[in-house]
Amino acid sequence: MLSQQNVSFLDEELDIRSSRLIPLISYPHFSEREYKDRIIEMESLGITSIILGGKTIVNGAHIAGKGCVGIVVKAKAGSKVCALKIRRTDADRKAMDNEARLHKMANSKGVGPSLEGHTKNLIAMEFVTGQSIIDWVVGNKATKSKMCTISAAILEQCFSLDVAGLDHGELSRLARHVIVSDRPYIIDFESASTTRKTCNVTAAAQSILLYGIVANKVKKILGNTDREKVIHALRTYKHLHTRAKFDAVLDSLLL
Ligand SMILES: Nc1ncnc2c1ncn2[C@@H]1O[C@H](COP(=O)(O)OP(=O)(O)OP(=O)(O)O)[C@@H](O)[C@H]1O
Ligand SMILES: [Mg+2]
């Protein structure tokens, strides 16, 4: 089921056939064929309108987000709100089927926004209201205990994926792949794999605790991360994905 959510007064709701949405539905290149297919696909998912709003601006329109594979807008199926990922016409893949399959697998382990449906060019999923982890940490509102809770929750989700044998593939770019709401949501399963060696905990822990802008901020808030202890715990975990080895990684966070 799609989640019930209020629409902010700043948002602007448009019927999916509104001419203003044409450049978003077939983005970045317009093709009549692609546009018509996508309208039919939206109808098959029950999507009736798209709600403009969000931090990202595409052709003058505010949307929820944009990447190399898709643009993400808030959409409505009747009164239910969802996030709709629309395949870019220049994406390096022909369909969203594989991403949807891997996303569903993540959902079965309690990870990721709940997937509501998909077609060749679209994925409809739970809309996550929140901030990217980078905005969340830089926004500086996190207390030490909240930072620990969110970091531990991200790592727990990564551990579930490791145990399930599903490698997300892009958690070293954590800032683009975690949205913090009431809890953290790992998003975007397009690069995931069930055949690669899983390194979700290792990749995410490095971004949270060791290297880069998120880690620097986390270090400032937590104040006492023992770098050597983290590195040692991750090295040991890397060879053996057991609960005990994972707990040692968590320990290094919760000093
Ligand atoms: N379920 C969601 N709820 C709210 N916003 C979302 C949701 N999914 C994605 N977004 C927003 O849309 C952006 C792009 O989504 P996503 O990462 O899935 O696209 P992508 O094309 O695969 O991107 P990339 O090139 O970074 O891999 C995200 O960074 C996020 O801001
Ligand atoms: Mg992606």
Side-chain angles (χ1 to χ4, degrees), residues 136-148:
W136 186 75
V137 292
V138 171
N140 222 347
K141 298 220 174 71
T143 58
K144 189 171 169 175
S145 104
K146 186 77 183 165
M147 181 66 79
C148 278

Side-chain angles (χ1 to χ4, degrees), residues 18-60:
S18 161
S19 59
R20 287 176 54 203
L21 295 174
I22 294 172
L24 296 178
I25 292 171
S26 178
Y27 175 87
H29 308 299
F30 177 74
S31 141
E32 195 171 343
R33 173 81 195 272
E34 288 284 352
Y35 173 71
K36 283 185 174 160
D37 283 354
R38 287 145 189 246
I39 291 287
I40 292 167
E41 289 175 36
M42 278 187 232
E43 285 172 340
S44 77
L45 293 172
I47 290 170
T48 44
S49 57
I50 285 176
I51 299 164
L52 295 182
K55 265 180 71 177
T56 305
I57 303 177
V58 166
N59 296 333

Side-chain angles (χ1 to χ4, degrees), residues 64-65 67-70 72 83 85 125-126 128 173 176 187-188 190:
C68 300
V69 171
V72 177
K85 184 166 177 175
M125 65 190 126
E126 174 185 3
V128 182
R173 289 168 69 215
R176 286 198 62 84
I187 58 163
D188 188 10
E190 49 114 348

Side-chain angles (χ1 to χ4, degrees), residues 112-129:
S114 152
L115 189 134
E116 312 292 359
H118 88 281
T119 59
K120 179 179 178 224
N121 293 298
L122 308 172
I123 290 181
M125 65 190 126
E126 174 185 3
F127 189 90
V128 182
T129 304

Side-chain angles (χ1 to χ4, degrees), residues 198-243:
T198 52
C199 58
N200 300 296
V201 168
T202 317
Q206 285 180 347
S207 297
I208 295 171
L209 298 169
L210 293 176
Y211 313 110
I213 187 162
V214 173
N216 288 341
K217 199 72 192 169
V218 171
K219 263 183 264 171
K220 265 194 196 143
I221 295 172
L222 296 186
N224 56 354
T225 330
D226 181 340
R227 215 181 154 78
E228 289 313 309
K229 190 173 174 184
V230 175
I231 292 170
H232 177 73
L234 284 176
R235 275 210 190 111
T236 318
Y237 174 81
K238 202 173 163 183
H239 296 297
L240 207 55
H241 289 180
T242 61
R243 182 74 221 185

